[in-house]
């Protein structure tokens, strides 16, 4: 977030004068030292991590007086790490459908191993069951509870459609609310074996989910998501997204993902509205998956191609390099102009004693 601290306390802890700290990171009458504003003031360049994040940053940091550039480079995911080799050369919907069925089946076996066989026990459904995930850091704005806002509806949906749900993520150890949220999900998984809640969400498990799901749900409360990157790597493996219109999704092609919910610009009960929209979105995505698999995998193939082209770290690094080269070039040109001006000034100064 954007933490603020007592200016007096920061001065006492750091040894810096309050007047200096006030100039660097305090723009209100309460003498709060604001970390984000201090970072903006001290940085040679400030970068947001998506186009929407840039707009939010421009508003949040508008009080900071600096000539340093404020721009954005949207995040990416490393194709070599997150894309399974099987998907790298996939170029047809039929090939993607075949591969996805195999990897979703493999993932089901992993889930049974992680849960001791308690969840997803119907092996005859492996590869064919509509497999949905919610995988993220357990933070309040990401709303991990949105999927079970209507608990009875969710369970009935999973049973009626023979679908499966995978929940993974970590709450901060000091966030009691999100720890309870995780525990509530785990308790629900004890009652409903079509829901798997697995601890230990690290990079290897993340890689497994990106190739082992049909659909990922991303439910941040717009406009609070800076970027989000899960769907970039998921897309590289043919996994589609059902997401709120926020972060990097607003820069991606609209026909490569499913949107639900509010963009965060109204004053109604956003969580209630978004929960209702999410239930609608799950029904619509399942309908497409089950009734028109060719259309589903055609959309997934488009998402794969776009992720490989636009949402990889190679693109991100190229943009960063171009940005820094342009900045460096501008500074070198300014330095050269200063040197020429100095030399010109020296040449035209009257010599002493002349």
């Amino acid at each position: 977030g954007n933490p603020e601290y007592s200016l007096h306390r920061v001065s006492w802890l750091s040894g810096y004068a309050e007047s200096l700290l006030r100039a660097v990171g305090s723009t209100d009458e309460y003498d709060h030292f604001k970390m984000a504003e201090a970072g903006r003031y001290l940085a040679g360049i400030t970068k947001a991590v998506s186009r929407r994040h840039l707009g939010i940053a421009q508003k949040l940091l508008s009080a900071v007086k600096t000539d340093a550039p404020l721009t954005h480079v949207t995040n990416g995911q490393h194709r070599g790490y997150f894309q399974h080799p099987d998907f790298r050369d996939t170029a047809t919907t039929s090939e993607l459908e075949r591969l996805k069925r195999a990897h979703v089946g493999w993932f089901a076996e992993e889930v049974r191993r992680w849960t001791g066989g308690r969840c997803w026990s119907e092996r005859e459904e492996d590869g064919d069951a509509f497999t949905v995930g919610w995988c993220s850091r357990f933070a309040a704005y990401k709303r991990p509870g949105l999927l079970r806002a209507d608990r009875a509806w969710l369970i009935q949906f999973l049973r009626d459609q023979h679908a499966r749900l995978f929940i993974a993520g970590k709450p901060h150890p000091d966030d009691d609310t999100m720890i309870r949220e995780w525990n509530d999900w785990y308790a629900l998984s004890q009652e409903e074996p079509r829901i798997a809640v697995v601890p230990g969400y690290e990079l290897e498990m993340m890689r497994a989910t990106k190739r082992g799901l049909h659909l990922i749900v991303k439910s941040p409360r717009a406009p609070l998501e800076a970027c989000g990157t899960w769907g970039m790597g998921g897309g590289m493996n043919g996994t589609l997204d059902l997401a709120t219109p926020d972060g990097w999704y607003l820069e991606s092609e609209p026909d490569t993902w499913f949107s639900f919910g509010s963009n965060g610009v109204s004053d109604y009960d956003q969580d209630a509205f978004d929960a209702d929209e999410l239930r609608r979105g799950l029904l619509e995505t399942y309908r497409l998956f089950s009734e028109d698999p060719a259309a589903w995998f055609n959309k997934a193939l488009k998402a794969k191609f776009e992720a490989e082209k636009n949402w990889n770290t190679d693109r991100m690094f190229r943009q960063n390099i171009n940005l820094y080269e342009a900045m460096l070039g501008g500074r070198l040109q300014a330095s050269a102009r200063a040197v020429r001006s100095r030399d010109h000034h020296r040449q035209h100064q009257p010599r002493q004693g002349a």
Side-chain angles (χ1 to χ4, degrees), residues 11 29 38 64 75 90 99-100 108-109 113 115 137 142 186 192 194 196 205 249 269 296 298:
S11 175
E29 67 273 23
V64 181
N75 283 338
T90 304
L99 282 173
K100 202 63 181 176
E109 285 291 351
R113 182 172 65 85
T115 62
R137 179 166 53 92
K142 290 184 178 287
Y186 187 75
E192 176 49 59
R194 289 190 171 274
M205 187 181 292
Y249 290 106
D269 187 334
W296 177 276
N298 184 58

Side-chain angles (χ1 to χ4, degrees), residues 121-142:
S121 57
E122 308 86 353
R123 280 185 165 80
E124 67 277 6
E125 296 181 2
D126 287 1
D128 297 318
F130 189 45
T131 305
V132 182
W134 191 100
C135 307
S136 188
R137 179 166 53 92
F138 267 59
Y141 85 93
K142 290 184 178 287

Side-chain angles (χ1 to χ4, degrees), residues 56 66 68:
I56 300 297
T66 175

Side-chain angles (χ1 to χ4, degrees), residues 212-229:
L213 299 173
H214 291 117
L215 183 75
I216 186 70
V217 174
K218 305 304 286 185
S219 54
R221 185 182 294 110
L224 300 181
E225 184 65 89
C227 180
T229 56

Side-chain angles (χ1 to χ4, degrees), residues 51 68 95 97 100 114 215-216 250 254 350:
R51 189 182 300 152
E95 186 180 10
E97 182 175 4
K100 202 63 181 176
W114 291 332
L215 183 75
I216 186 70
L250 298 176

